[in-house]
Amino acid sequence: MVIHSDSNLGAAAGLAMVLGAVIMVAVSAAQLAAGKRRRAVKTVLASAALVAIYTLAVIAVSLRTPQKIVSVGDSYCVDIWCIGIDGVSPKPFGHEIAYKVDVRIFSEANRVRTIAKGAAFYLMDERGRRFPLVQDPSVIPFDMTLDPGQSIKTSLTFVAAPNARQLFLTGDMGEPPFWVRLYLGSDDSLLHKRTLLRVL
């Protein structure tokens, strides 16, 4: 199963709202230039009301949407860049435990190249503790540029506390464009719960 960070419908709704607001501001500017000040003010207020109502709807959807957990064997896509966990190999590492997470990274693109530029992965346990990625120069880097449809297999290594009962792979993928925050039901929407990939 492939789980996506957003839907085409949610993205279309956000883009339609941004476009609508821009058009209404342009109309109000034209009205003001034509000397129709009162009508221009009404148009601006209507535009502001549209943005406010839509933003509240985005937040409401985010708060009511349950957090998604991606199981081992399934994949998660951020736009056209995707990652899935194939297996996990834990082993003692001093007083902690090292987890080697075998992953498959692939592109859903048809024409363009993609890359996880600026991504920073870490494991998070059930208490919210974060365990950063341990650099391993012997493996294929996860942030290599992928050609359309390309798939690679590599591994990510983390060292976690021995008392962690649940572990999830997550991370920061960089700051998205502001309009993505207004997609309905997107992982990047305002106050939306981040999708996690189950490791343990």
Side-chain angles (χ1 to χ4, degrees):
M1 178 187 295
V2 178
I3 297 172
H4 292 84
S5 62
D6 51 40
S7 67
N8 291 335
L9 182 61
L15 291 175
M17 192 284 303
V18 172
L19 181 60
V22 169
I23 290 174
M24 292 178 75
V25 169
V27 169
S28 68
Q31 290 171 335
L32 188 61
K36 301 176 181 178
R37 184 175 180 180
R38 184 172 296 178
R39 193 173 290 181
V41 170
K42 288 182 178 180
T43 303
V44 169
L45 291 176
S47 175
L50 170 67
V51 172
I53 292 171
Y54 182 85
T55 301
L56 289 175
V58 169
I59 293 174
V61 170
S62 294
L63 294 176
R64 292 179 62 86
T65 301
Q67 188 171 35
K68 290 180 285 189
I69 305 294
V70 182
S71 301
V72 173
D74 292 337
S75 301
Y76 173 65
C77 294
V78 179
D79 195 10
I80 54 176
W81 187 90
C82 308
I83 183 171
I85 296 177
D86 290 333
V88 182
S89 304
K91 66 177 182 180
F93 187 80
H95 296 293
E96 299 175 300
I97 298 178
Y99 291 90
K100 179 183 177 184
V101 182
D102 296 318
V103 298
R104 183 172 72 95
I105 297 171
F106 61 98
S107 167
E108 281 199 326
N110 293 320
R111 298 181 181 179
V112 299
R113 306 174 87 189
T114 185
I115 184 174
K117 186 176 181 180
F121 287 112
Y122 54 87
L123 292 187
M124 185 173 67
D125 71 0
E126 73 283 357
R127 290 191 273 176
R129 294 180 296 179
R130 296 185 178 190
F131 308 101
L133 176 68
V134 177
Q135 298 299 324
D136 184 354
S138 67
V139 302
I140 299 173
F142 71 84
D143 57 353
M144 68 175 290
T145 300
L146 300 177
D147 291 323
Q150 183 180 0
S151 175
I152 62 169
K153 289 193 175 185
T154 187
S155 64
L156 307 173
T157 300
F158 305 87
V159 176
N163 60 349
R165 295 184 178 181
Q166 298 183 68
L167 288 171
F168 304 94
L169 176 64
T170 184
D172 298 314
M173 298 295 290
E175 186 65 23
F178 78 91
W179 59 83
V180 176
R181 296 291 189 192
L182 298 176
Y183 286 3
L184 273 174
S186 167
D187 277 4
D188 289 316
S189 298
L190 295 169
L191 301 183
H192 197 280
K193 304 174 189 70
R194 178 174 295 181
T195 296
L196 304 174
L197 285 78
R198 184 178 295 280
V199 171
L200 183 66

